[in-house]
PDB file of all heavy atoms in Angstrom:
ATOM      1  N   ALA E 214      -2.674  -0.354   8.915  1.00 92.00           N
ATOM      2  CA  ALA E 214      -3.266  -1.489   9.630  1.00 92.00           C
ATOM      3  C   ALA E 214      -4.797  -1.450   9.550  1.00 92.00           C
ATOM      4  O   ALA E 214      -5.446  -2.478   9.300  1.00 92.00           O
ATOM      5  CB  ALA E 214      -2.814  -1.480  11.086  1.00 92.00           C
ATOM      6  N   ILE E 215      -5.377  -0.256   9.729  1.00 91.00           N
ATOM      7  CA  ILE E 215      -6.838  -0.118   9.659  1.00 91.00           C
ATOM      8  C   ILE E 215      -7.351  -0.487   8.270  1.00 91.00           C
ATOM      9  O   ILE E 215      -8.321  -1.236   8.117  1.00 91.00           O
ATOM     10  CB  ILE E 215      -7.263   1.323  10.019  1.00 91.00           C
ATOM     11  CG1 ILE E 215      -7.003   1.600  11.500  1.00 91.00           C
ATOM     12  CG2 ILE E 215      -8.729   1.562   9.688  1.00 91.00           C
ATOM     13  CD1 ILE E 215      -7.155   3.058  11.889  1.00 91.00           C
ATOM     14  N   ILE E 216      -6.691   0.050   7.238  1.00 91.00           N
ATOM     15  CA  ILE E 216      -7.147  -0.195   5.857  1.00 91.00           C
ATOM     16  C   ILE E 216      -7.012  -1.662   5.475  1.00 91.00           C
ATOM     17  O   ILE E 216      -7.912  -2.246   4.846  1.00 91.00           O
ATOM     18  CB  ILE E 216      -6.357   0.700   4.875  1.00 91.00           C
ATOM     19  CG1 ILE E 216      -6.713   2.169   5.101  1.00 91.00           C
ATOM     20  CG2 ILE E 216      -6.637   0.309   3.428  1.00 91.00           C
ATOM     21  CD1 ILE E 216      -5.839   3.159   4.359  1.00 91.00           C
ATOM     22  N   MET E 217      -5.907  -2.286   5.864  1.00 91.00           N
ATOM     23  CA  MET E 217      -5.664  -3.678   5.463  1.00 91.00           C
ATOM     24  C   MET E 217      -6.503  -4.682   6.247  1.00 91.00           C
ATOM     25  O   MET E 217      -6.725  -5.795   5.780  1.00 91.00           O
ATOM     26  CB  MET E 217      -4.176  -4.012   5.600  1.00 91.00           C
ATOM     27  CG  MET E 217      -3.308  -3.318   4.562  1.00 91.00           C
ATOM     28  SD  MET E 217      -1.599  -3.885   4.531  1.00 91.00           S
ATOM     29  CE  MET E 217      -0.974  -3.193   6.063  1.00 91.00           C
ATOM     30  N   THR E 218      -6.973  -4.312   7.451  1.00 90.00           N
ATOM     31  CA  THR E 218      -7.730  -5.263   8.273  1.00 90.00           C
ATOM     32  C   THR E 218      -9.240  -5.098   8.166  1.00 90.00           C
ATOM     33  O   THR E 218      -9.989  -5.993   8.565  1.00 90.00           O
ATOM     34  CB  THR E 218      -7.336  -5.128   9.762  1.00 90.00           C
ATOM     35  OG1 THR E 218      -7.514  -3.761  10.182  1.00 90.00           O
ATOM     36  CG2 THR E 218      -5.886  -5.547   9.972  1.00 90.00           C
ATOM     37  N   ASP E 219      -9.697  -3.971   7.621  1.00 87.00           N
ATOM     38  CA  ASP E 219     -11.143  -3.742   7.520  1.00 87.00           C
ATOM     39  C   ASP E 219     -11.623  -3.993   6.091  1.00 87.00           C
ATOM     40  O   ASP E 219     -11.251  -3.240   5.185  1.00 87.00           O
ATOM     41  CB  ASP E 219     -11.487  -2.311   7.951  1.00 87.00           C
ATOM     42  CG  ASP E 219     -12.980  -2.131   8.179  1.00 87.00           C
ATOM     43  OD1 ASP E 219     -13.756  -2.329   7.218  1.00 87.00           O
ATOM     44  OD2 ASP E 219     -13.369  -1.805   9.312  1.00 87.00           O
ATOM     45  N   PRO E 220     -12.457  -5.006   5.866  1.00 87.00           N
ATOM     46  CA  PRO E 220     -12.921  -5.335   4.501  1.00 87.00           C
ATOM     47  C   PRO E 220     -13.723  -4.210   3.855  1.00 87.00           C
ATOM     48  O   PRO E 220     -13.741  -4.086   2.628  1.00 87.00           O
ATOM     49  CB  PRO E 220     -13.802  -6.573   4.724  1.00 87.00           C
ATOM     50  CG  PRO E 220     -13.405  -7.110   6.058  1.00 87.00           C
ATOM     51  CD  PRO E 220     -12.973  -5.929   6.873  1.00 87.00           C
ATOM     52  N   GLN E 221     -14.386  -3.382   4.670  1.00 87.00           N
ATOM     53  CA  GLN E 221     -15.214  -2.312   4.115  1.00 87.00           C
ATOM     54  C   GLN E 221     -14.380  -1.180   3.505  1.00 87.00           C
ATOM     55  O   GLN E 221     -14.906  -0.323   2.803  1.00 87.00           O
ATOM     56  CB  GLN E 221     -16.141  -1.767   5.202  1.00 87.00           C
ATOM     57  CG  GLN E 221     -17.173  -2.775   5.669  1.00 87.00           C
ATOM     58  CD  GLN E 221     -18.207  -2.174   6.601  1.00 87.00           C
ATOM     59  OE1 GLN E 221     -18.577  -1.008   6.474  1.00 87.00           O
ATOM     60  NE2 GLN E 221     -18.680  -2.970   7.555  1.00 87.00           N
ATOM     61  N   LEU E 222     -13.092  -1.184   3.813  1.00 89.00           N
ATOM     62  CA  LEU E 222     -12.195  -0.178   3.229  1.00 89.00           C
ATOM     63  C   LEU E 222     -11.443  -0.726   2.017  1.00 89.00           C
ATOM     64  O   LEU E 222     -10.456  -0.141   1.580  1.00 89.00           O
ATOM     65  CB  LEU E 222     -11.199   0.327   4.279  1.00 89.00           C
ATOM     66  CG  LEU E 222     -11.799   1.021   5.506  1.00 89.00           C
ATOM     67  CD1 LEU E 222     -10.704   1.519   6.433  1.00 89.00           C
ATOM     68  CD2 LEU E 222     -12.724   2.169   5.107  1.00 89.00           C
ATOM     69  N   ASN E 223     -11.929  -1.831   1.496  1.00 90.00           N
ATOM     70  CA  ASN E 223     -11.294  -2.442   0.316  1.00 90.00           C
ATOM     71  C   ASN E 223     -11.818  -1.771  -0.951  1.00 90.00           C
ATOM     72  O   ASN E 223     -12.512  -2.366  -1.775  1.00 90.00           O
ATOM     73  CB  ASN E 223     -11.586  -3.951   0.300  1.00 90.00           C
ATOM     74  CG  ASN E 223     -10.819  -4.671  -0.799  1.00 90.00           C
ATOM     75  OD1 ASN E 223      -9.803  -4.174  -1.294  1.00 90.00           O
ATOM     76  ND2 ASN E 223     -11.328  -5.816  -1.215  1.00 90.00           N
ATOM     77  N   THR E 224     -11.467  -0.485  -1.108  1.00 91.00           N
ATOM     78  CA  THR E 224     -11.898   0.310  -2.253  1.00 91.00           C
ATOM     79  C   THR E 224     -10.682   1.006  -2.861  1.00 91.00           C
ATOM     80  O   THR E 224      -9.633   1.116  -2.205  1.00 91.00           O
ATOM     81  CB  THR E 224     -12.927   1.378  -1.824  1.00 91.00           C
ATOM     82  OG1 THR E 224     -12.278   2.307  -0.926  1.00 91.00           O
ATOM     83  CG2 THR E 224     -14.126   0.759  -1.124  1.00 91.00           C
ATOM     84  N   PRO E 225     -10.798   1.488  -4.104  1.00 93.00           N
ATOM     85  CA  PRO E 225      -9.652   2.173  -4.729  1.00 93.00           C
ATOM     86  C   PRO E 225      -9.113   3.339  -3.918  1.00 93.00           C
ATOM     87  O   PRO E 225      -7.898   3.513  -3.790  1.00 93.00           O
ATOM     88  CB  PRO E 225     -10.232   2.652  -6.062  1.00 93.00           C
ATOM     89  CG  PRO E 225     -11.307   1.677  -6.377  1.00 93.00           C
ATOM     90  CD  PRO E 225     -11.908   1.316  -5.054  1.00 93.00           C
ATOM     91  N   MET E 226     -10.007   4.134  -3.332  1.00 90.00           N
ATOM     92  CA  MET E 226      -9.575   5.303  -2.566  1.00 90.00           C
ATOM     93  C   MET E 226      -8.655   4.901  -1.412  1.00 90.00           C
ATOM     94  O   MET E 226      -7.609   5.521  -1.186  1.00 90.00           O
ATOM     95  CB  MET E 226     -10.803   6.038  -2.020  1.00 90.00           C
ATOM     96  CG  MET E 226     -10.462   7.201  -1.095  1.00 90.00           C
ATOM     97  SD  MET E 226     -11.959   8.002  -0.481  1.00 90.00           S
ATOM     98  CE  MET E 226     -11.265   9.074   0.782  1.00 90.00           C
ATOM     99  N   TYR E 227      -9.020   3.849  -0.715  1.00 92.00           N
ATOM    100  CA  TYR E 227      -8.218   3.429   0.440  1.00 92.00           C
ATOM    101  C   TYR E 227      -6.995   2.601   0.034  1.00 92.00           C
ATOM    102  O   TYR E 227      -6.025   2.529   0.779  1.00 92.00           O
ATOM    103  CB  TYR E 227      -9.105   2.684   1.447  1.00 92.00           C
ATOM    104  CG  TYR E 227     -10.113   3.617   2.054  1.00 92.00           C
ATOM    105  CD1 TYR E 227     -11.450   3.577   1.664  1.00 92.00           C
ATOM    106  CD2 TYR E 227      -9.721   4.596   2.960  1.00 92.00           C
ATOM    107  CE1 TYR E 227     -12.371   4.468   2.194  1.00 92.00           C
ATOM    108  CE2 TYR E 227     -10.632   5.494   3.486  1.00 92.00           C
ATOM    109  CZ  TYR E 227     -11.953   5.427   3.104  1.00 92.00           C
ATOM    110  OH  TYR E 227     -12.850   6.326   3.616  1.00 92.00           O
ATOM    111  N   PHE E 228      -7.050   2.023  -1.137  1.00 95.00           N
ATOM    112  CA  PHE E 228      -5.858   1.379  -1.688  1.00 95.00           C
ATOM    113  C   PHE E 228      -4.781   2.431  -1.942  1.00 95.00           C
ATOM    114  O   PHE E 228      -3.609   2.248  -1.588  1.00 95.00           O
ATOM    115  CB  PHE E 228      -6.220   0.655  -2.991  1.00 95.00           C
ATOM    116  CG  PHE E 228      -5.035   0.078  -3.727  1.00 95.00           C
ATOM    117  CD1 PHE E 228      -4.334  -1.005  -3.219  1.00 95.00           C
ATOM    118  CD2 PHE E 228      -4.625   0.635  -4.934  1.00 95.00           C
ATOM    119  CE1 PHE E 228      -3.239  -1.529  -3.898  1.00 95.00           C
ATOM    120  CE2 PHE E 228      -3.537   0.114  -5.620  1.00 95.00           C
ATOM    121  CZ  PHE E 228      -2.846  -0.975  -5.100  1.00 95.00           C
ATOM    122  N   PHE E 229      -5.195   3.557  -2.535  1.00 95.00           N
ATOM    123  CA  PHE E 229      -4.254   4.663  -2.752  1.00 95.00           C
ATOM    124  C   PHE E 229      -3.785   5.247  -1.416  1.00 95.00           C
ATOM    125  O   PHE E 229      -2.603   5.572  -1.247  1.00 95.00           O
ATOM    126  CB  PHE E 229      -4.910   5.760  -3.594  1.00 95.00           C
ATOM    127  CG  PHE E 229      -5.171   5.383  -5.020  1.00 95.00           C
ATOM    128  CD1 PHE E 229      -6.422   5.591  -5.599  1.00 95.00           C
ATOM    129  CD2 PHE E 229      -4.182   4.820  -5.808  1.00 95.00           C
ATOM    130  CE1 PHE E 229      -6.666   5.246  -6.914  1.00 95.00           C
ATOM    131  CE2 PHE E 229      -4.408   4.471  -7.127  1.00 95.00           C
ATOM    132  CZ  PHE E 229      -5.658   4.683  -7.690  1.00 95.00           C
ATOM    133  N   LEU E 230      -4.702   5.389  -0.485  1.00 92.00           N
ATOM    134  CA  LEU E 230      -4.361   5.967   0.811  1.00 92.00           C
ATOM    135  C   LEU E 230      -3.376   5.089   1.574  1.00 92.00           C
ATOM    136  O   LEU E 230      -2.468   5.599   2.247  1.00 92.00           O
ATOM    137  CB  LEU E 230      -5.629   6.169   1.644  1.00 92.00           C
ATOM    138  CG  LEU E 230      -5.461   6.811   3.021  1.00 92.00           C
ATOM    139  CD1 LEU E 230      -4.713   8.137   2.917  1.00 92.00           C
ATOM    140  CD2 LEU E 230      -6.820   7.011   3.685  1.00 92.00           C
ATOM    141  N   CYS E 231      -3.527   3.783   1.456  1.00 94.00           N
ATOM    142  CA  CYS E 231      -2.593   2.851   2.105  1.00 94.00           C
ATOM    143  C   CYS E 231      -1.186   3.028   1.526  1.00 94.00           C
ATOM    144  O   CYS E 231      -0.191   3.037   2.266  1.00 94.00           O
ATOM    145  CB  CYS E 231      -3.081   1.412   1.904  1.00 94.00           C
ATOM    146  SG  CYS E 231      -2.148   0.176   2.838  1.00 94.00           S
ATOM    147  N   ASN E 232      -1.112   3.189   0.205  1.00 96.00           N
ATOM    148  CA  ASN E 232       0.191   3.421  -0.427  1.00 96.00           C
ATOM    149  C   ASN E 232       0.765   4.779  -0.048  1.00 96.00           C
ATOM    150  O   ASN E 232       1.978   4.918   0.106  1.00 96.00           O
ATOM    151  CB  ASN E 232       0.057   3.315  -1.950  1.00 96.00           C
ATOM    152  CG  ASN E 232       0.082   1.888  -2.442  1.00 96.00           C
ATOM    153  OD1 ASN E 232       1.143   1.295  -2.612  1.00 96.00           O
ATOM    154  ND2 ASN E 232      -1.102   1.311  -2.644  1.00 96.00           N
ATOM    155  N   LEU E 233      -0.109   5.779   0.124  1.00 94.00           N
ATOM    156  CA  LEU E 233       0.346   7.099   0.555  1.00 94.00           C
ATOM    157  C   LEU E 233       0.982   7.013   1.946  1.00 94.00           C
ATOM    158  O   LEU E 233       2.041   7.605   2.193  1.00 94.00           O
ATOM    159  CB  LEU E 233      -0.824   8.078   0.566  1.00 94.00           C
ATOM    160  CG  LEU E 233      -0.497   9.515   0.993  1.00 94.00           C
ATOM    161  CD1 LEU E 233       0.405  10.194  -0.031  1.00 94.00           C
ATOM    162  CD2 LEU E 233      -1.777  10.325   1.199  1.00 94.00           C
ATOM    163  N   SER E 234       0.362   6.257   2.847  1.00 94.00           N
ATOM    164  CA  SER E 234       0.912   6.082   4.197  1.00 94.00           C
ATOM    165  C   SER E 234       2.247   5.353   4.156  1.00 94.00           C
ATOM    166  O   SER E 234       3.179   5.690   4.894  1.00 94.00           O
ATOM    167  CB  SER E 234      -0.081   5.309   5.066  1.00 94.00           C
ATOM    168  OG  SER E 234      -1.219   6.085   5.342  1.00 94.00           O
ATOM    169  N   PHE E 235       2.347   4.359   3.277  1.00 96.00           N
ATOM    170  CA  PHE E 235       3.604   3.619   3.117  1.00 96.00           C
ATOM    171  C   PHE E 235       4.724   4.552   2.660  1.00 96.00           C
ATOM    172  O   PHE E 235       5.836   4.534   3.203  1.00 96.00           O
ATOM    173  CB  PHE E 235       3.406   2.488   2.110  1.00 96.00           C
ATOM    174  CG  PHE E 235       4.664   1.734   1.771  1.00 96.00           C
ATOM    175  CD1 PHE E 235       5.128   0.728   2.589  1.00 96.00           C
ATOM    176  CD2 PHE E 235       5.381   2.039   0.617  1.00 96.00           C
ATOM    177  CE1 PHE E 235       6.297   0.025   2.284  1.00 96.00           C
ATOM    178  CE2 PHE E 235       6.540   1.353   0.299  1.00 96.00           C
ATOM    179  CZ  PHE E 235       6.997   0.347   1.136  1.00 96.00           C
ATOM    180  N   ILE E 236       4.427   5.394   1.674  1.00 96.00           N
ATOM    181  CA  ILE E 236       5.421   6.334   1.143  1.00 96.00           C
ATOM    182  C   ILE E 236       5.830   7.345   2.211  1.00 96.00           C
ATOM    183  O   ILE E 236       7.021   7.614   2.411  1.00 96.00           O
ATOM    184  CB  ILE E 236       4.869   7.054  -0.105  1.00 96.00           C
ATOM    185  CG1 ILE E 236       4.746   6.066  -1.270  1.00 96.00           C
ATOM    186  CG2 ILE E 236       5.758   8.228  -0.508  1.00 96.00           C
ATOM    187  CD1 ILE E 236       3.949   6.592  -2.443  1.00 96.00           C
ATOM    188  N   ASP E 237       4.840   7.911   2.913  1.00 94.00           N
ATOM    189  CA  ASP E 237       5.133   8.885   3.965  1.00 94.00           C
ATOM    190  C   ASP E 237       6.021   8.277   5.048  1.00 94.00           C
ATOM    191  O   ASP E 237       6.954   8.921   5.543  1.00 94.00           O
ATOM    192  CB  ASP E 237       3.839   9.392   4.602  1.00 94.00           C
ATOM    193  CG  ASP E 237       3.124  10.411   3.741  1.00 94.00           C
ATOM    194  OD1 ASP E 237       3.771  10.973   2.839  1.00 94.00           O
ATOM    195  OD2 ASP E 237       1.924  10.650   3.958  1.00 94.00           O
ATOM    196  N   LEU E 238       5.714   7.046   5.413  1.00 95.00           N
ATOM    197  CA  LEU E 238       6.484   6.358   6.454  1.00 95.00           C
ATOM    198  C   LEU E 238       7.940   6.197   6.039  1.00 95.00           C
ATOM    199  O   LEU E 238       8.865   6.477   6.822  1.00 95.00           O
ATOM    200  CB  LEU E 238       5.850   4.992   6.724  1.00 95.00           C
ATOM    201  CG  LEU E 238       6.564   4.079   7.717  1.00 95.00           C
ATOM    202  CD1 LEU E 238       6.559   4.681   9.108  1.00 95.00           C
ATOM    203  CD2 LEU E 238       5.910   2.697   7.741  1.00 95.00           C
ATOM    204  N   PHE E 239       8.165   5.795   4.806  1.00 93.00           N
ATOM    205  CA  PHE E 239       9.523   5.480   4.385  1.00 93.00           C
ATOM    206  C   PHE E 239      10.348   6.708   4.041  1.00 93.00           C
ATOM    207  O   PHE E 239      11.541   6.747   4.325  1.00 93.00           O
ATOM    208  CB  PHE E 239       9.511   4.474   3.228  1.00 93.00           C
ATOM    209  CG  PHE E 239       9.455   3.056   3.714  1.00 93.00           C
ATOM    210  CD1 PHE E 239       8.236   2.448   3.996  1.00 93.00           C
ATOM    211  CD2 PHE E 239      10.611   2.324   3.942  1.00 93.00           C
ATOM    212  CE1 PHE E 239       8.170   1.154   4.475  1.00 93.00           C
ATOM    213  CE2 PHE E 239      10.562   1.025   4.413  1.00 93.00           C
ATOM    214  CZ  PHE E 239       9.347   0.436   4.689  1.00 93.00           C
ATOM    215  N   TYR E 240       9.737   7.737   3.418  1.00 89.00           N
ATOM    216  CA  TYR E 240      10.616   8.866   3.091  1.00 89.00           C
ATOM    217  C   TYR E 240      10.950   9.695   4.323  1.00 89.00           C
ATOM    218  O   TYR E 240      12.011  10.314   4.379  1.00 89.00           O
ATOM    219  CB  TYR E 240      10.104   9.691   1.911  1.00 89.00           C
ATOM    220  CG  TYR E 240       9.082  10.764   2.119  1.00 89.00           C
ATOM    221  CD1 TYR E 240       9.370  11.934   2.812  1.00 89.00           C
ATOM    222  CD2 TYR E 240       7.820  10.661   1.529  1.00 89.00           C
ATOM    223  CE1 TYR E 240       8.444  12.940   2.946  1.00 89.00           C
ATOM    224  CE2 TYR E 240       6.884  11.672   1.653  1.00 89.00           C
ATOM    225  CZ  TYR E 240       7.200  12.801   2.371  1.00 89.00           C
ATOM    226  OH  TYR E 240       6.273  13.798   2.493  1.00 89.00           O
ATOM    227  N   SER E 241      10.094   9.675   5.339  1.00 94.00           N
ATOM    228  CA  SER E 241      10.477  10.321   6.595  1.00 94.00           C
ATOM    229  C   SER E 241      11.536   9.502   7.322  1.00 94.00           C
ATOM    230  O   SER E 241      12.414  10.058   8.000  1.00 94.00           O
ATOM    231  CB  SER E 241       9.256  10.525   7.493  1.00 94.00           C
ATOM    232  OG  SER E 241       8.642   9.281   7.797  1.00 94.00           O
ATOM    233  N   SER E 242      11.486   8.175   7.144  1.00 95.00           N
ATOM    234  CA  SER E 242      12.486   7.298   7.775  1.00 95.00           C
ATOM    235  C   SER E 242      13.854   7.414   7.114  1.00 95.00           C
ATOM    236  O   SER E 242      14.874   7.082   7.725  1.00 95.00           O
ATOM    237  CB  SER E 242      12.010   5.837   7.721  1.00 95.00           C
ATOM    238  OG  SER E 242      10.816   5.672   8.455  1.00 95.00           O
ATOM    239  N   VAL E 243      13.889   7.889   5.889  1.00 94.00           N
ATOM    240  CA  VAL E 243      15.163   8.133   5.211  1.00 94.00           C
ATOM    241  C   VAL E 243      15.890   9.318   5.848  1.00 94.00           C
ATOM    242  O   VAL E 243      17.126   9.359   5.879  1.00 94.00           O
ATOM    243  CB  VAL E 243      14.918   8.392   3.702  1.00 94.00           C
ATOM    244  CG1 VAL E 243      16.189   8.873   3.015  1.00 94.00           C
ATOM    245  CG2 VAL E 243      14.406   7.130   3.017  1.00 94.00           C
ATOM    246  N   ILE E 244      15.114  10.269   6.394  1.00 94.00           N
ATOM    247  CA  ILE E 244      15.671  11.525   6.895  1.00 94.00           C
ATOM    248  C   ILE E 244      15.816  11.550   8.414  1.00 94.00           C
ATOM    249  O   ILE E 244      16.884  11.881   8.954  1.00 94.00           O
ATOM    250  CB  ILE E 244      14.789  12.714   6.455  1.00 94.00           C
ATOM    251  CG1 ILE E 244      14.595  12.717   4.926  1.00 94.00           C
ATOM    252  CG2 ILE E 244      15.391  14.026   6.932  1.00 94.00           C
ATOM    253  CD1 ILE E 244      15.848  12.849   4.124  1.00 94.00           C
ATOM    254  N   ALA E 245      14.744  11.239   9.135  1.00 94.00           N
ATOM    255  CA  ALA E 245      14.668  11.510  10.576  1.00 94.00           C
ATOM    256  C   ALA E 245      15.715  10.784  11.422  1.00 94.00           C
ATOM    257  O   ALA E 245      16.362  11.426  12.267  1.00 94.00           O
ATOM    258  CB  ALA E 245      13.259  11.199  11.084  1.00 94.00           C
ATOM    259  N   PRO E 246      15.906   9.465  11.280  1.00 94.00           N
ATOM    260  CA  PRO E 246      16.863   8.782  12.165  1.00 94.00           C
ATOM    261  C   PRO E 246      18.279   9.362  12.094  1.00 94.00           C
ATOM    262  O   PRO E 246      18.914   9.582  13.128  1.00 94.00           O
ATOM    263  CB  PRO E 246      16.822   7.327  11.674  1.00 94.00           C
ATOM    264  CG  PRO E 246      15.471   7.181  11.056  1.00 94.00           C
ATOM    265  CD  PRO E 246      15.193   8.497  10.418  1.00 94.00           C
ATOM    266  N   LYS E 247      18.756   9.630  10.877  1.00 93.00           N
ATOM    267  CA  LYS E 247      20.102  10.192  10.727  1.00 93.00           C
ATOM    268  C   LYS E 247      20.172  11.589  11.322  1.00 93.00           C
ATOM    269  O   LYS E 247      21.176  11.956  11.962  1.00 93.00           O
ATOM    270  CB  LYS E 247      20.489  10.220   9.241  1.00 93.00           C
ATOM    271  CG  LYS E 247      21.899  10.761   8.969  1.00 93.00           C
ATOM    272  CD  LYS E 247      22.964   9.922   9.638  1.00 93.00           C
ATOM    273  CE  LYS E 247      24.349  10.454   9.369  1.00 93.00           C
ATOM    274  NZ  LYS E 247      25.388   9.726  10.128  1.00 93.00           N
ATOM    275  N   ALA E 248      19.119  12.396  11.125  1.00 92.00           N
ATOM    276  CA  ALA E 248      19.107  13.755  11.687  1.00 92.00           C
ATOM    277  C   ALA E 248      19.149  13.707  13.216  1.00 92.00           C
ATOM    278  O   ALA E 248      19.856  14.501  13.851  1.00 92.00           O
ATOM    279  CB  ALA E 248      17.855  14.493  11.214  1.00 92.00           C
ATOM    280  N   MET E 249      18.421  12.757  13.811  1.00 93.00           N
ATOM    281  CA  MET E 249      18.410  12.650  15.274  1.00 93.00           C
ATOM    282  C   MET E 249      19.758  12.170  15.812  1.00 93.00           C
ATOM    283  O   MET E 249      20.225  12.647  16.847  1.00 93.00           O
ATOM    284  CB  MET E 249      17.286  11.716  15.717  1.00 93.00           C
ATOM    285  CG  MET E 249      15.899  12.323  15.550  1.00 93.00           C
ATOM    286  SD  MET E 249      14.591  11.345  16.319  1.00 93.00           S
ATOM    287  CE  MET E 249      14.515   9.929  15.218  1.00 93.00           C
ATOM    288  N   ILE E 250      20.386  11.253  15.092  1.00 92.00           N
ATOM    289  CA  ILE E 250      21.720  10.784  15.502  1.00 92.00           C
ATOM    290  C   ILE E 250      22.714  11.939  15.490  1.00 92.00           C
ATOM    291  O   ILE E 250      23.553  12.076  16.396  1.00 92.00           O
ATOM    292  CB  ILE E 250      22.195   9.644  14.578  1.00 92.00           C
ATOM    293  CG1 ILE E 250      21.378   8.374  14.827  1.00 92.00           C
ATOM    294  CG2 ILE E 250      23.685   9.354  14.771  1.00 92.00           C
ATOM    295  CD1 ILE E 250      21.610   7.274  13.807  1.00 92.00           C
ATOM    296  N   ASN E 251      22.609  12.803  14.478  1.00 90.00           N
ATOM    297  CA  ASN E 251      23.563  13.909  14.334  1.00 90.00           C
ATOM    298  C   ASN E 251      23.432  14.976  15.424  1.00 90.00           C
ATOM    299  O   ASN E 251      24.360  15.747  15.646  1.00 90.00           O
ATOM    300  CB  ASN E 251      23.426  14.558  12.951  1.00 90.00           C
ATOM    301  CG  ASN E 251      24.115  13.748  11.877  1.00 90.00           C
ATOM    302  OD1 ASN E 251      24.855  12.815  12.169  1.00 90.00           O
ATOM    303  ND2 ASN E 251      23.874  14.086  10.627  1.00 90.00           N
ATOM    304  N   PHE E 252      22.272  15.021  16.091  1.00 88.00           N
ATOM    305  CA  PHE E 252      22.146  15.960  17.210  1.00 88.00           C
ATOM    306  C   PHE E 252      23.091  15.592  18.358  1.00 88.00           C
ATOM    307  O   PHE E 252      23.486  16.440  19.141  1.00 88.00           O
ATOM    308  CB  PHE E 252      20.705  15.996  17.722  1.00 88.00           C
ATOM    309  CG  PHE E 252      19.764  16.765  16.841  1.00 88.00           C
ATOM    310  CD1 PHE E 252      18.599  16.190  16.375  1.00 88.00           C
ATOM    311  CD2 PHE E 252      20.049  18.070  16.459  1.00 88.00           C
ATOM    312  CE1 PHE E 252      17.719  16.894  15.563  1.00 88.00           C
ATOM    313  CE2 PHE E 252      19.188  18.793  15.644  1.00 88.00           C
ATOM    314  CZ  PHE E 252      18.020  18.194  15.190  1.00 88.00           C
ATOM    315  N   TRP E 253      23.442  14.304  18.446  1.00 86.00           N
ATOM    316  CA  TRP E 253      24.313  13.833  19.525  1.00 86.00           C
ATOM    317  C   TRP E 253      25.718  13.506  19.037  1.00 86.00           C
ATOM    318  O   TRP E 253      26.606  13.217  19.833  1.00 86.00           O
ATOM    319  CB  TRP E 253      23.708  12.580  20.177  1.00 86.00           C
ATOM    320  CG  TRP E 253      22.359  12.835  20.755  1.00 86.00           C
ATOM    321  CD1 TRP E 253      21.158  12.472  20.221  1.00 86.00           C
ATOM    322  CD2 TRP E 253      22.053  13.548  21.960  1.00 86.00           C
ATOM    323  NE1 TRP E 253      20.136  12.898  21.006  1.00 86.00           N
ATOM    324  CE2 TRP E 253      20.649  13.564  22.096  1.00 86.00           C
ATOM    325  CE3 TRP E 253      22.832  14.176  22.938  1.00 86.00           C
ATOM    326  CZ2 TRP E 253      20.007  14.178  23.163  1.00 86.00           C
ATOM    327  CZ3 TRP E 253      22.181  14.791  24.011  1.00 86.00           C
ATOM    328  CH2 TRP E 253      20.796  14.787  24.113  1.00 86.00           C
ATOM    329  N   SER E 254      25.913  13.537  17.724  1.00 81.00           N
ATOM    330  CA  SER E 254      27.210  13.161  17.161  1.00 81.00           C
ATOM    331  C   SER E 254      28.153  14.361  17.100  1.00 81.00           C
ATOM    332  O   SER E 254      27.739  15.483  16.788  1.00 81.00           O
ATOM    333  CB  SER E 254      27.011  12.589  15.751  1.00 81.00           C
ATOM    334  OG  SER E 254      28.240  12.402  15.096  1.00 81.00           O
ATOM    335  N   GLU E 255      29.410  14.112  17.378  1.00 80.00           N
ATOM    336  CA  GLU E 255      30.433  15.156  17.280  1.00 80.00           C
ATOM    337  C   GLU E 255      30.814  15.401  15.817  1.00 80.00           C
ATOM    338  O   GLU E 255      30.984  16.527  15.372  1.00 80.00           O
ATOM    339  CB  GLU E 255      31.672  14.761  18.093  1.00 80.00           C
ATOM    340  CG  GLU E 255      31.474  14.793  19.599  1.00 80.00           C
ATOM    341  CD  GLU E 255      31.276  16.196  20.144  1.00 80.00           C
ATOM    342  OE1 GLU E 255      31.810  17.143  19.544  1.00 80.00           O
ATOM    343  OE2 GLU E 255      30.583  16.348  21.162  1.00 80.00           O
TER     344      GLU E 255
END
């Protein structure tokens, strides 16, 4: 949100960083929700 809303961060470094955050968000979301459900599942 910070990178996409601030024009001064419209540089290659922050373009890569925005994609890094996107990747981190999604690959943790592939694992964490199912793992948390299994703590309560029989």
